[in-house]
Amino acid sequence: MSQRIAVIGAGPVGLEAALQAVARGFEVQVFECGAAGAAMRKWGHVRMFSPLAMNTSELGRQHTGITNGAHEFLTGAEFAGRYLQPLAESLGDRIMTQTRVTGIGRAGALKGDLIGLPERAMRPFQLLVEHEGSERVEEADVVLDCSGTFSQPGALGPGGVPVPGERDCAESIFYGVPDVAGALRERFAGQRILVIGAGHSAATVVLALAEVAAAHAGTEVHWIVRKSAAQPAVGVPDDPLPARAALARRVNEYAAAAKWLHFRAGRQVRRMRRNGDGVEVELGPEAELLTVDAIVAATGFRPDTALSRELQVSLCYATEGTLPLAAQLLGETGGDCLAVGSFGVDSLRHPEPGYFVLGMKSYGRASDFLIRTGYEQVTSVFDWLDEVSK
């Protein structure tokens, strides 16, 4: 009997897993809490650094009929519409949208049962899923968690936890990469804005705010990063991605000369509170007070580890990524995601037999993940499944 594979998440990696499952003769069911490609559509206004060819697979191109545009740089929304949506449609009822997996366990076995014994692998996974307000249990022989991390933004506190007042000020905080120059322009135009974060997401937001500031007098941006730095963006030497190199160059130029932008390194948010129509933010280490109208928290993302709480998983204590993979990634990239290699199925194994975390979630809190790496992970797992199924 063919193994039953459950895929969690219908993003690029989850859809690739479903395609390969079908192509290799496995039964597969995809569970997606929203619509296919929903996470990418949340940052749909952002143009990708990498060209279309780097973000599609050979199997995916066959299903979508994409034969040109390999060197185009699409926005997240364009990629979801041109590539992910056709893939989802080709899979038909193998994808269940608006269906959330809320827990995974083993039939009749607790987390601490049958440790290291082959009998554990003989018990099917049981997934508790919720759809339209009702719950049911689905079974599978293999679980591929491709759910990503985008729904779990990092908090603002110096220790990674919310600062006092962060929850109370939630209406004024925008996590990730909000569309400040598009759909949310009226919210940010002419306002005092605090941007927090040192990565490409923060730099993207600041460049978008440059457009807002040029068109709307009174727009003032305060940009803080927690580490000491002479300039906000550190470029990759001889960067092979021109758009990424241009982002770093332009944002550093604004930080050095733009009157509407105030960049400060070595600052952290300590607390915040409502102050009239704005938010009063205390910055450390010198208890500086700053009143703003909106806050953009580009503070990264983290995996939802509650999903696998009842499984025997091995997570990195620093990144919460898959431990063998985290160990191999350590010191590999030098800051460039293009330098990350594919390490094979052994780097993706957990003590729980048949359970794999693929895609961005496998990297945990690390940010140097590429879509093509996720495709390579999927291939390595299915090559292994082909071998063990013989």
Side-chain angles (χ1 to χ4, degrees):
M1 185 177 71
S2 175
Q3 286 190 301
R4 300 163 298 174
I5 298 177
V7 177
I8 305 174
V13 179
L15 291 174
E16 176 70 15
L19 290 179
Q20 291 212 29
V22 173
R24 300 185 190 225
F26 294 98
E27 297 180 32
V28 63
Q29 188 69 63
V30 182
F31 302 98
E32 166 58 49
C33 65
M40 295 200 74
R41 294 182 190 276
K42 289 182 179 179
W43 51 268
H45 57 286
V46 178
R47 193 162 300 281
M48 303 167 80
F49 293 137
S50 50
L52 180 60
M54 286 183 59
N55 300 312
T56 59
S57 71
E58 181 178 353
L59 188 57
R61 290 189 292 272
Q62 292 173 6
H63 278 261
T64 58
I66 290 178
T67 57
N68 52 28
H71 301 295
E72 288 186 65
F73 293 83
L74 304 184
T75 65
E78 289 169 344
F79 181 70
R82 287 178 53 180
Y83 187 68
L84 300 184
Q85 189 60 40
L87 288 186
E89 292 171 357
S90 74
L91 289 163
D93 59 7
R94 295 185 180 93
I95 296 182
M96 300 191 66
T97 58
Q98 310 303 325
T99 304
R100 181 180 298 276
V101 177
T102 59
I104 313 170
R106 284 282 190 183
L110 299 177
K111 184 182 183 79
D113 294 343
L114 305 173
I115 299 174
L117 298 178
E119 288 83 356
R120 188 170 178 89
M122 298 171 64
R123 297 173 181 252
F125 288 101
Q126 292 189 324
L127 292 80
L128 179 63
V129 302
E130 180 182 357
H131 177 72
E132 295 182 347
S134 63
E135 294 180 316
R136 68 179 185 278
V137 172
E138 297 276 354
E139 290 195 343
D141 303 302
V142 175
V143 174
L144 307 180
D145 184 352
C146 309
S147 59
T149 62
F150 198 74
S151 63
Q152 301 285 321
L156 299 184
V161 297
V163 297
E166 182 172 342
R167 293 187 181 93
D168 291 338
C169 299
E171 291 183 358
S172 298
I173 304 174
F174 299 80
Y175 295 90
V177 191
D179 190 5
V180 298
L184 296 172
R185 180 184 284 261
E186 290 187 6
R187 177 66 177 83
F188 287 86
Q191 301 293 293
R192 301 160 297 178
I193 304 151
L194 174 62
V195 177
I196 306 165
H200 292 113
S201 294
T204 298
V205 170
V206 170
L207 283 190
L209 288 171
E211 178 184 330
V212 177
H216 301 276
T219 304
E220 184 179 10
V221 180
H222 299 267
W223 185 8
I224 65 169
V225 299
R226 66 185 179 89
K227 294 182 179 180
S228 298
Q231 55 187 14
V234 179
V236 176
D238 300 319
D239 197 333
L241 297 178
R244 184 173 63 180
L247 174 69
R249 182 179 65 255
R250 290 175 60 202
V251 81
N252 285 337
E253 290 172 353
Y254 279 124
K259 294 183 178 180
W260 54 267
L261 177 60
H262 311 282
F263 171 72
R264 280 168 289 180
R267 301 291 197 280
Q268 295 180 329
V269 177
R270 292 291 179 84
R271 63 181 65 247
M272 60 180 63
R273 68 179 182 89
R274 286 285 174 194
N275 183 7
D277 293 333
V279 177
E280 183 182 83
V281 182
E282 180 184 320
L283 304 180
E286 298 176 356
E288 174 187 358
L289 294 180
L290 179 68
T291 299
V292 297
D293 302 297
I295 299 169
V296 177
T299 48
F301 302 92
R302 59 192 61 180
D304 179 4
T305 58
L307 199 59
S308 59
R309 181 170 292 158
E310 296 307 317
L311 301 179
Q312 296 173 0
V313 296
S314 182
L315 300 178
C316 173
Y317 53 81
T319 68
E320 294 182 305
T322 301
L323 183 57
L325 177 61
Q328 290 182 289
L329 286 172
L330 186 63
E332 282 286 328
T333 69
D336 183 9
C337 57
L338 293 178
V340 177
S342 178
F343 300 107
V345 70
D346 287 341
S347 68
L348 302 169
R349 292 184 190 276
H350 286 273
E352 189 69 63
Y355 174 74
F356 296 91
V357 178
L358 307 179
M360 184 176 290
K361 190 173 182 178
S362 69
Y363 275 47
R365 302 183 185 207
S367 61
D368 50 357
F369 172 78
L370 285 175
I371 292 176
R372 73 175 186 187
T373 301
Y375 297 157
E376 292 167 355
Q377 291 177 340
V378 169
T379 298
S380 68
V381 168
F382 276 97
D383 286 346
W384 174 79
L385 285 172
D386 282 340
E387 287 296 318
V388 299
S389 298
K390 290 180 179 178

